[in-house]
Amino acid sequence: MKKKRKRHGSTIMMFIIISVFLLVFWKQQQEKENELSKTPLPTALHETLAEKRDILLSQALDKGIHVVIVEGFRSVEEQNDLYNKGRTEEGNIVTHAKGGESYHNYGLAIDFALLNNSGATIWDMEYDGNGNGKSDWMEVVSIAKSLGFEWGGDWANFKDYPHLQMDFGLSIAELQKGQRP
Ligand SMILES: [Zn+2]
């Protein structure tokens, strides 16, 4: 009888030790996540993207293509305004991303357009302003890809043709938790 109680006692002891251990571990994880979620949002385009954007513009210019960057860093507030377009506000739906859900909010995306020979901003993917028989738009896309950009036109679901981004291997969920490249 005495022996049995003793064995019970040690099982309970083990259980308590493991529980305390797990609790401490869990608390540490929570604190780590809290710390990360306090990471401030970026306020500008990531410096690597800024650098590559400038190279993109000059390499396109070498081919006689004028690229205009129409969007870069976008604040969460601006993203929400954009999200409301075509939903609670007038107009067409332009994005599926709410504030904090777009790579633009982390300074990791730019949107481009072209300047045609009369100086107007165009989104015409067939336009061949330099007259080399190739679409200027796709020439820009290929330069962008060579610089390490991912192109929104390659996405399977929602094609975003002016969109170029670099995620540095981070998902939106990870960025929202506070991870930064
Ligand atoms: Zn974009």
Side-chain angles (χ1 to χ4, degrees):
M1 237 359 214
K2 219 178 176 185
K3 249 188 181 168
K4 220 176 187 182
R5 205 182 298 145
K6 214 174 185 182
R7 214 181 294 147
H8 262 286
S10 62
T11 310
I12 290 168
M13 226 16 224
M14 265 308 259
F15 180 76
I16 291 171
I17 290 169
I18 291 172
S19 300
V20 167
F21 190 78
L22 284 176
L23 200 72
V24 169
F25 179 74
W26 176 77
K27 267 222 81 111
Q28 275 178 342
Q29 287 299 107
Q30 288 290 104
E31 269 161 31
K32 227 185 268 170
E33 269 180 32
N34 275 343
E35 215 39 60
L36 269 178
S37 62
K38 276 185 233 148
T39 312
L41 284 162
T43 52
L45 197 64
H46 189 280
E47 56 176 14
T48 305
L49 275 91
E51 209 175 282
K52 302 285 171 149
R53 170 203 59 201
D54 293 344
I55 300 173
L56 176 71
L57 295 185
S58 82
Q59 288 191 3
L61 213 52
D62 288 345
K63 291 183 179 238
I65 304 168
H66 289 258
V67 173
V68 239
I69 303 299
V70 287
E71 284 271 11
F73 169 77
R74 204 184 282 148
S75 72
V76 166
E77 205 173 46
E78 289 166 333
Q79 185 70 37
N80 280 325
D81 287 345
L82 208 63
Y83 183 81
N84 290 336
K85 262 186 103 179
R87 293 189 173 89
T88 54
E89 305 292 323
E90 265 178 63
N92 295 319
I93 286 181
V94 287
T95 181
H96 291 288
K98 292 181 192 174
E101 294 175 356
S102 164
Y103 281 97
H104 285 284
N105 305 147
Y106 303 92
L108 301 178
I110 53 174
D111 295 334
F112 77 94
L114 302 176
L115 222 54
N116 70 10
N117 292 334
S118 20
T121 304
I122 56 162
W123 282 264
D124 181 359
M125 288 178 68
E126 315 277 297
Y127 185 71
D128 179 21
N130 60 3
N132 65 355
K134 289 190 257 180
S135 140
D136 288 6
W137 195 278
M138 292 315 293
E139 285 188 81
V140 174
V141 167
S142 105
I143 299 169
K145 286 184 183 177
S146 78
L147 295 171
F149 282 103
E150 178 185 338
W151 180 43
D154 284 331
W155 295 341
N157 300 321
F158 178 68
K159 294 207 182 286
D160 192 350
Y161 297 105
H163 184 94
L164 300 170
Q165 74 177 39
M166 285 185 193
D167 61 16
F168 300 91
L170 292 174
S171 68
I172 287 293
E174 288 168 327
L175 289 163
Q176 282 176 321
K177 278 188 205 150
Q179 290 193 45
R180 300 283 176 264

